[in-house]
Amino acid sequence: MSEIIFTDEYFMKEALKEAHKAFDAKEVPIGAVIVSNNKIIARGHNLTETLNDPTAHAEMQAFTAATEYLGAKYLNDCVLYVTLEPCTMCAGAAYWSQIGKIVFAATDEKRGYQKLKTNILHPKTEVVSGVLENECSILIKDFFKAKRM
Amino acid sequence: MSEIIFTDEYFMKEALKEAHKAFDAKEVPIGAVIVSNNKIIARGHNLTETLNDPTAHAEMQAFTAATEYLGAKYLNDCVLYVTLEPCTMCAGAAYWSQIGKIVFAATDEKRGYQKLKTNILHPKTEVVSGVLENECSILIKDFFKAKRM
């Protein structure tokens, strides 16, 4: 049995699995996982349509699940993997969680938090982008293409 | 019986009642209500400590409750009353909800969304501030004063 190598790609693939669940539920396909010591402690996918709740983004659900799992309000030693750059709301939530690192795949030119002139993340939060960018953005493009047909 | 006059002060007093609930639960005392056609359709108060959830702000809970009540993702015809200026996360959530109007009491010099150089609210969202500012900010100051003792 080959050993699992815990790379950013490995965990982003798990986030992408979550995005596929959203796709299957006719939701904008964005997925997230939160990892602590190489263990996935929370998963989430976009459920805004299913729940009729504009705040039900993948990341928001993952933050709530991760803090519930840890019984702690802060996620300093955790990494968020998400298939699209977080929006202002989710980046604001990341700030409050003090999450240690955010790895995202595709950039969101319209609603991504990086568009703001101020860094709204916690100053200690490390950011990596572009991991599995193609796979994650193709899924989103496919979703909107299918919607227009 | 005297008729109720539905003013911003009237509904802010209801938000302040929610803030008092937070205070009694040893939470930073911030409260919110969402109003549609002069009817309170959602209430929320800060529960970040109780739930161990940094996203459990008064406004976030009110948004989720209001959309659940209406069975709709958007709050265009609603007004959010909140005892403190929303943070970036809550303002980002307000954007997604497309809420018609936000009335807040006290300004949050540290974490308020107005500190950002970009307007992150929905362009159609109207904003009123300063309603019952003293009452709402005194409660928050009292909370932190008691904490330090």
Side-chain angles (χ1 to χ4, degrees):
Chain A
M1 207 177 82
S2 63
E3 211 183 324
I4 296 173
I5 314 280
F6 294 115
T7 59
D8 281 347
E9 284 74 15
Y10 173 81
F11 289 116
M12 190 60 81
K13 273 182 192 160
E14 294 297 317
L16 188 52
K17 282 183 196 170
E18 288 297 314
H20 276 282
K21 288 183 200 167
F23 188 97
D24 293 344
K26 298 192 170 61
E27 297 274 359
V28 179
I30 300 162
V33 298
I34 292 178
V35 174
S36 172
N37 294 318
N38 284 335
K39 187 183 167 187
I40 295 173
I41 62 165
R43 294 175 171 273
H45 58 271
N46 180 33
L47 281 173
T48 48
E49 299 299 328
T50 308
L51 300 179
N52 264 334
D53 184 349
T55 74
H57 285 194
E59 302 95 311
M60 298 303 282
Q61 296 180 68
F63 287 135
T64 298
T67 51
E68 196 179 344
Y69 176 88
L70 294 174
K73 236 178 60 175
Y74 299 117
L75 301 173
N76 309 75
D77 297 325
C78 297
V79 186
L80 167 72
Y81 291 86
V82 57
T83 60
L84 185 68
E85 179 187 345
C87 72
T88 307
M89 171 181 70
C90 294
Y95 170 85
W96 291 117
S97 79
Q98 299 187 8
I99 197 153
K101 187 174 169 182
I102 296 176
V103 181
F104 67 83
T107 300
D108 184 350
E109 300 295 343
K110 271 175 122 175
R111 294 285 142 222
Y113 77 95
Q114 292 190 329
K115 257 196 51 171
L116 298 172
K117 292 178 190 88
T118 318
N119 175 29
I120 59 171
L121 295 179
H122 195 274
K124 286 191 180 163
T125 301
E126 194 189 329
V127 177
V128 172
S129 64
V131 175
L132 293 193
E133 186 174 355
N134 279 345
E135 292 87 329
C136 295
S137 60
I138 282 170
L139 186 67
I140 298 171
K141 279 175 196 154
D142 283 352
F143 174 82
F144 285 107
K145 208 186 288 173
K147 255 198 129 175
R148 280 192 299 270
M149 289 197 326
Chain B
M1 208 176 85
S2 63
E3 211 183 325
I4 296 172
I5 313 280
F6 294 116
T7 58
D8 281 347
E9 284 74 16
Y10 174 81
F11 290 116
M12 190 60 82
K13 273 182 192 159
E14 293 297 316
L16 188 54
K17 282 183 196 169
E18 288 297 314
H20 275 283
K21 289 184 199 167
F23 188 97
D24 292 343
K26 297 191 169 60
E27 299 274 358
V28 178
I30 299 161
V33 298
I34 292 178
V35 173
S36 171
N37 293 320
N38 284 336
K39 188 184 166 185
I40 295 174
I41 61 165
R43 294 175 170 273
H45 57 271
N46 179 33
L47 282 173
T48 49
E49 300 298 328
T50 309
L51 300 179
N52 264 332
D53 184 349
T55 73
H57 285 194
E59 302 95 311
M60 298 302 281
Q61 296 179 67
F63 288 136
T64 299
T67 52
E68 197 180 342
Y69 176 88
L70 294 174
K73 237 177 59 174
Y74 300 117
L75 301 174
N76 309 75
D77 297 325
C78 297
V79 186
L80 167 72
Y81 291 86
V82 56
T83 60
L84 185 68
E85 180 187 345
C87 73
T88 307
M89 171 180 71
C90 294
Y95 169 83
W96 291 117
S97 79
Q98 299 186 8
I99 196 152
K101 187 174 170 183
I102 296 176
V103 181
F104 67 84
T107 300
D108 184 350
E109 298 295 344
K110 271 175 122 175
R111 295 284 141 221
Y113 78 95
Q114 291 189 330
K115 258 195 51 172
L116 297 172
K117 292 180 191 84
T118 318
N119 175 29
I120 59 172
L121 295 179
H122 195 276
K124 286 191 181 164
T125 301
E126 193 189 331
V127 177
V128 172
S129 64
V131 175
L132 293 193
E133 186 173 355
N134 280 346
E135 292 87 327
C136 294
S137 61
I138 281 170
L139 186 67
I140 297 172
K141 278 175 195 152
D142 284 351
F143 174 81
F144 285 108
K145 209 187 287 173
K147 253 199 128 172
R148 279 193 300 270
M149 288 198 325

